[in-house]
Amino acid sequence: MLSGEIYSAVDPELTRELMETRAVIHQFNTLHPTETEKMRAVLHQLLGAIGDDHIIINQPFRCDYGKQIRVGKRFFANFNLTILDEAYVTIGDDCFIGPNVSIYTACHSTDPVERNSRREWALPVSIGDNVWIGGNVTILPGVTIGDNVTIGAGSVVVRDIPSNTIAVGNPCKVIKEI
């Protein structure tokens, strides 16, 4: 799965890991918002790497495995962040993510017979340092977003976005260099 090769989405081992992660996610999402130390402890258990303890992920949060997610220092994510981390999702330092953002790594065939076989593959997503992702943004598999980027609200990021830019739209396109 992590190598980008085709895998079975109904593999018993992967299904077991998904269920274990859902239990941890449930624990995180049912903590009282004032239980910040417990939240951080659960995030340390769940995520693959955390740059420091200045991490805030507002509830609810959803992910598939968690261990493929790496976030840098001073990370903030607003409500309803969803990360389908069948491949690595790497997020740099000083990144801010608005509400209702989705980051996907899983890919499915457009051919219905192939798709119904439950075989899929995954492509990593990389987000650089000092990135602000507006609310309701969707980031598709295989995308790299450079450093010092702003992604406008409602955008669908289907291809790489270079550093030092502002990008918006569906599909997301660079509108300004900064």
Side-chain angles (χ1 to χ4, degrees):
M1 182 172 73
L2 292 174
S3 68
E5 295 183 24
I6 294 174
Y7 62 92
S8 171
V10 293
D11 175 83
E13 178 64 21
L14 294 178
T15 301
R16 183 191 60 73
E17 287 183 40
L18 285 168
M19 291 302 112
E20 289 174 1
T21 302
R22 287 184 185 156
V24 177
I25 289 289
H26 176 76
Q27 178 187 6
F28 176 81
N29 287 328
T30 57
L31 287 169
H32 192 275
T34 60
E35 295 180 286
T36 55
E37 291 306 313
K38 286 183 183 178
M39 288 176 150
R40 282 193 187 99
V42 172
L43 290 173
H44 276 280
Q45 173 190 353
L46 179 67
L47 302 182
I50 295 174
D52 64 17
D53 281 335
H54 299 286
I55 176 176
I56 298 171
I57 299 179
N58 284 337
Q59 303 153 305
F61 167 60
R62 302 273 188 258
C63 67
D64 277 341
Y65 297 94
K67 63 186 177 182
Q68 277 88 248
I69 301 170
R70 303 169 181 158
V71 299
K73 297 174 184 172
R74 298 169 300 277
F75 175 73
F76 173 82
N78 217 319
F79 307 104
N80 294 315
L81 173 62
T82 298
I83 301 177
L84 304 186
D85 61 314
E86 279 68 21
Y88 289 109
V89 174
T90 304
I91 303 171
D93 296 341
D94 297 300
C95 288
F96 302 94
I97 296 182
N100 305 309
V101 169
S102 297
I103 301 172
Y104 304 142
T105 65
C107 303
H108 307 277
S109 176
T110 56
D111 177 272
V113 174
E114 287 181 35
R115 186 173 52 248
N116 289 339
S117 75
R118 304 301 191 259
R119 292 166 44 97
E120 56 189 59
W121 65 97
L123 299 171
V125 170
S126 179
I127 300 170
D129 296 333
N130 304 308
V131 174
W132 174 28
I133 298 172
N136 295 301
V137 168
T138 300
I139 300 171
L140 296 184
V143 165
T144 295
I145 297 173
D147 297 332
N148 309 311
V149 170
T150 297
I151 304 292
S155 296
V156 178
V157 186
V158 300
R159 65 181 62 90
D160 294 352
I161 303 296
S163 293
N164 305 306
T165 60
I166 298 172
V168 301
N170 181 5
C172 190
K173 295 179 183 175
V174 173
I175 60 165
K176 183 178 181 180
E177 291 186 21
I178 52 174

